[in-house]
Amino acid sequence: MSKAFNCSIKRIRFDENYHPADSTRLTTNFANLARGEHREENLRKTLTMINNRFNALAHWDNPSADRYSVGVDIISVDMDVAGNGDTFPVIETLKTTIIDHKDNSRIDGMIGNSFSSYVRDYDFSVVLPEHFDKHPASQPPADFGDLHGKLFQYLLNSDAYQAEFHKQPVICLSVSTSRTYQRTTNQHPVLGVEYKLDGCSLDKGSLTDEYFSKMGLTVRYFMPTGSVAPLAFYFAGDLLTDYTNFELISAISTMETFQKIYRPEIYNANSTAGHVYQPSLNYQDYSLTQIVYDRAERSQMAVTQGKFTEEQFIKPYQNILEEWAASYDVASVTVQREAAQKDTAKKQAA
């Protein structure tokens, strides 16, 4: 039986008064927007973009396109792996709530959306460069992302997560600039037109796709109505049936907004992705949002934060983490949790 780690979950509202917590990765999209002299204006404009996009997609019974607004909470997960009360911020995601101003009601939105991880910074900014320095023509290490994937799935199976959230997270990211995508004939009423990796390009998925697969997540690519490029949706289960239209729309409106700010060359381009599409950050025909975003700082800080993780988490707890990862069986724990949930449901129904 693997050692039990203590998980704790904190929430902070993302609004015009938001200030990043000390434990928040500074490379995170929403934290980047909330610094500097333009912080309040940045946050107001970002939230307006999210609300406008949500109303454009949730257009039924919404003639003035102002029926809904989206509340965003930042969900931070701290983990104590030594059992001594010292915690490390392992994961940060977003939880959305839809406010229906016509009915004066609140509706659950998506859990997940963005994904922020110090350990991921360590893997991509420390482990991977060091590996390629030693082995320039090789593939990533076979165990690349194993620890991170198990930590993520441990969180989802934890009592702390189960007490707060009733669904698996959906992570919505940019498509990879190193891959080519082919438009299909499959179209979902909310997610839009589906894209798949071009079968003629010998693509087997990006390194990010492989990394997320170790987190138990698969990926599909959809371009919603009104979008100019597909988004990558990482999920467990069935993306099309496990989530409501409002949950899906809240993810699209939130994450497409961040991508328009962060990657305007792709998501705020002045032309729509074609049937065969390769994203490029060198594309010149795009529009800028009126939101200040320091993209250069974001890239530089990833290395700094990866080394911080190595010094504060990986090295101090290396023996504990290695022993735990070797004994933690994700599939077994998941089966046990699902069986316990079914048993609880039967007792409640009796």
Side-chain angles (χ1 to χ4, degrees):
M1 185 72 177
S2 61
K3 177 182 175 65
F5 296 156
N6 294 322
C7 297
S8 57
I9 294 176
K10 296 181 293 187
R11 294 172 179 251
I12 183 171
R13 177 54 57 94
F14 178 73
D15 58 20
E16 63 185 60
N17 300 311
Y18 165 67
H19 289 272
D22 292 338
S23 60
T24 295
R25 289 167 63 249
L26 297 181
T27 59
T28 304
N29 290 340
F30 44 81
N32 190 296
L33 297 175
R35 300 199 308 279
E37 59 179 317
H38 301 288
R39 58 172 305 280
E40 289 187 8
E41 184 179 7
N42 278 348
L43 296 172
R44 279 195 297 268
K45 288 180 177 178
T46 299
L47 292 167
T48 297
M49 287 177 65
I50 292 172
N51 291 337
N52 289 344
R53 184 64 172 128
F54 187 97
N55 281 288
L57 289 169
H59 52 78
W60 57 92
D61 291 336
N62 188 10
S64 300
D66 61 0
R67 176 171 176 172
Y68 305 103
S69 58
V70 180
V72 181
D73 285 331
I74 299 165
I75 307 300
S76 301
V77 181
D78 292 340
M79 191 174 287
D80 174 4
V81 301
N84 59 7
D86 291 336
T87 61
F88 188 83
V90 288
I91 288 169
E92 204 164 52
T93 65
L94 300 177
K95 173 66 172 70
T96 58
T97 302
I98 301 103
I99 297 91
D100 184 341
H101 298 286
K102 179 181 178 182
D103 295 342
N104 194 27
S105 61
R106 297 170 67 85
I107 306 164
D108 264 348
M110 188 68 77
I111 173 64
N113 303 287
S114 177
F115 182 74
S116 171
S117 165
Y118 275 111
V119 178
R120 185 185 178 200
D121 275 346
Y122 165 72
D123 281 339
F124 278 89
S125 300
V126 177
V127 173
L128 211 55
E130 288 180 355
H131 172 79
F132 287 138
D133 283 346
K134 296 177 182 177
H135 312 284
S138 68
Q139 295 295 315
D143 62 352
F144 181 70
D146 283 0
L147 173 63
H148 181 269
K150 289 188 174 185
L151 288 171
F152 179 78
Q153 295 191 66
Y154 179 85
L155 164 65
L156 298 191
N157 283 309
S158 70
D159 291 341
Y161 183 89
Q162 296 295 318
E164 290 275 350
F165 309 109
H166 307 295
K167 291 190 178 183
Q168 298 283 308
V170 173
I171 310 299
C172 181
L173 303 180
S174 169
V175 286
S176 172
T177 57
S178 65
R179 294 295 186 262
T180 302
Y181 302 86
Q182 176 78 47
R183 187 182 300 183
T184 73
T185 57
N186 189 39
Q187 185 162 357
H188 183 270
V190 170
L191 293 167
V193 178
E194 184 168 19
Y195 276 73
K196 291 189 175 180
L197 288 171
D198 185 358
C200 299
S201 66
L202 301 180
D203 281 332
K204 296 182 180 180
S206 67
L207 184 56
T208 296
D209 293 349
E210 295 173 9
Y211 193 81
F212 273 71
S213 73
K214 293 191 175 183
M215 297 161 58
L217 305 179
T218 55
V219 62
R220 293 178 74 170
Y221 313 96
F222 285 93
M223 185 169 70
T225 300
S227 301
V228 296
L231 291 158
F233 295 87
Y234 296 88
F235 60 95
D238 190 330
L239 179 66
L240 305 190
T241 62
D242 290 349
Y243 303 93
T244 67
N245 285 344
F246 278 170
E247 286 172 326
L248 294 173
I249 292 173
S250 70
I252 294 166
S253 59
T254 301
M255 297 314 299
E256 189 178 81
T257 293
F258 284 127
Q259 295 298 349
K260 283 183 176 181
I261 297 166
Y262 172 48
R263 289 191 162 180
E265 301 92 339
I266 298 174
Y267 290 98
N268 217 28
N270 293 326
S271 57
T272 303
H275 280 78
V276 178
Y277 176 63
Q278 180 169 4
S280 173
L281 293 177
N282 295 319
Y283 189 69
Q284 297 297 310
D285 185 19
Y286 64 92
S287 300
L288 289 172
T289 65
Q290 297 179 11
I291 297 171
V292 179
Y293 187 97
D294 193 338
R295 190 158 66 181
E297 180 195 49
R298 186 183 193 275
S299 300
Q300 296 162 1
M301 285 296 293
V303 177
T304 301
Q305 293 178 162
K307 291 180 178 178
F308 166 79
T309 305
E310 181 179 37
E311 295 168 0
Q312 300 296 320
F313 186 65
I314 301 297
K315 286 184 176 179
Y317 304 114
Q318 186 167 8
N319 292 337
I320 294 174
L321 292 169
E322 288 179 354
E323 181 180 353
W324 172 81
S327 62
Y328 185 69
D329 185 342
V330 173
S332 175
V333 173
T334 301
V335 168
Q336 291 174 22
R337 174 179 58 79
E338 291 176 348
Q341 288 175 335
K342 289 180 181 178
D343 185 56
T344 300
K346 287 181 180 178
K347 290 178 180 178
Q348 291 176 343

